[in-house]
Amino acid sequence: APGHIPLFRPNPDGSTRWRRFLGEPGTNTLFNMHTTQDGGALLAFQQSLSAGKKQNWLYKVDSTGALQWKKQVDNIMQRFDAAPAADGHIIVAGLYTVSRFGDAYKIFKYKADGTTVWEKTFRLFETVPTYFYFVNRVHIAEDYSIYLLGDAHYLPQDSLRGKGTGLHQLDDFALVKLDQEGNKLWQRFYGGNNREFPSSFSPTADGGFVITGYTLSRDGNISRPRGNKDGWLLKGDAHGKLVWQRSN
């Protein structure tokens, strides 16, 4: 099915148990897929419409890949992510554009059947406009606190105000921690004076985390750059403080 999302499940010997083609009319771009406790999965993707318009969707499928429900995810631009919690709730987060005040995070909490529990919008700073390209990963911890991983930057004309935020001018790794009700606990930025793009977030047994991605910087938090575009791995503690980092 051209433009649709292929989903299949292999058997232990590598043969195909089942195959599905999912999506809406037109071209569909899959952002992320997360498995759920009932053996199914959540698919976060974007549908390309005519005249350059796009629509974000969240699909819930069962253990055979059959569609159980689908939901339009409105007021979110670009890439977004959706993650299931142990209690069955779902957290969805992405970018919301608020013009001259910069970009903001838009976050939703859904029940297991897709009905909305709450919706919230917040900015990183009230006095410094900041901008993002995407929310790359949503992670829900054992205590139901929420981590949002993406990127963030401010514009050159805001450099005087921006220097006091801990955020470098160009894109940093941006990690935000929220409580289970979506209230911001802290935010941290990692990078240098060029661009950083994160790709994955994983919790660690000591309550901290590791983030992977790549960097174009040769200063800031990057202590030993290897080239013009390095893979970058960093370790943070439970409060987001940088413990160590490696580039390659």
Side-chain angles (χ1 to χ4, degrees), residues 14 26 126 227 236:
E126 295 300 321

Side-chain angles (χ1 to χ4, degrees), residues 2-209:
H4 280 58
I5 300 166
L7 181 67
F8 71 95
R9 183 173 182 177
N11 291 309
D13 63 2
S15 61
T16 300
R17 181 177 301 182
W18 50 255
R19 179 184 288 110
R20 306 277 187 181
F21 293 93
L22 303 171
E24 298 296 310
T27 300
N28 298 270
T29 302
L30 180 66
F31 293 143
N32 283 310
M33 184 183 79
H34 293 273
T35 56
T36 53
Q37 289 190 326
D38 61 2
L42 296 170
L43 284 75
F45 69 95
Q46 189 172 78
Q47 173 195 16
S48 294
L49 304 172
S50 60
K53 295 182 179 180
K54 300 179 185 297
Q55 175 65 56
N56 288 324
W57 289 89
L58 181 66
Y59 274 21
K60 171 64 173 67
V61 299
D62 66 15
S63 60
T64 69
L67 181 64
Q68 292 181 294
W69 53 261
K70 63 181 181 179
K71 190 177 184 72
Q72 288 187 354
V73 182
D74 295 323
N75 299 319
I76 283 183
M77 308 293 292
Q78 307 300 333
R79 186 185 184 107
F80 74 103
D81 194 20
D87 63 0
H89 284 95
I90 300 163
I91 297 295
V92 177
L95 161 68
Y96 176 66
T97 299
V98 287
S99 66
R100 67 185 181 89
F101 297 106
D103 297 330
Y105 289 91
K106 176 73 75 173
I107 181 167
F108 302 88
K109 183 175 183 178
Y110 298 149
K111 294 181 180 179
D113 63 2
T115 57
T116 301
V117 178
W118 48 252
E119 172 185 344
K120 297 190 176 183
T121 305
F122 66 90
R123 297 196 297 269
L124 291 176
F125 305 101
E126 295 300 321
T127 58
V128 182
T130 49
Y131 300 88
F132 325 119
Y133 289 116
F134 51 74
V135 172
N136 199 14
R137 288 290 184 273
V138 175
H139 173 77
I140 304 174
E142 291 183 357
D143 64 357
Y144 298 104
S145 59
I146 303 162
Y147 292 87
L148 309 179
L149 175 65
D151 69 308
H153 67 277
Y154 56 83
L155 299 180
Q157 60 263 34
D158 295 312
S159 59
L160 290 178
R161 290 185 294 173
K163 287 182 179 179
T165 64
L167 178 65
H168 300 85
Q169 180 178 319
L170 296 180
D171 297 288
D172 282 356
F173 291 2
L175 182 65
V176 181
K177 184 177 181 179
L178 314 174
D179 66 19
Q180 61 182 331
E181 296 303 321
N183 302 303
K184 185 166 61 174
L185 299 176
W186 51 254
Q187 57 197 27
R188 302 288 184 265
F189 310 106
Y190 314 98
N193 287 322
N194 209 321
R195 299 183 184 276
E196 281 74 45
F197 294 95
S199 58
S200 70
F201 173 95
S202 298
T204 53
D206 61 1
F209 57 87

Side-chain angles (χ1 to χ4, degrees), residues 225-248:
R226 303 294 181 125
N228 293 327
K229 183 177 179 181
D230 293 342
W232 197 33
L233 169 69
L234 66 84
K235 171 73 170 67
D237 67 14
H239 304 287
K241 181 181 179 181
L242 181 63
V243 177
W244 54 257
Q245 55 82 39
R246 302 286 186 275
S247 58
N248 193 4

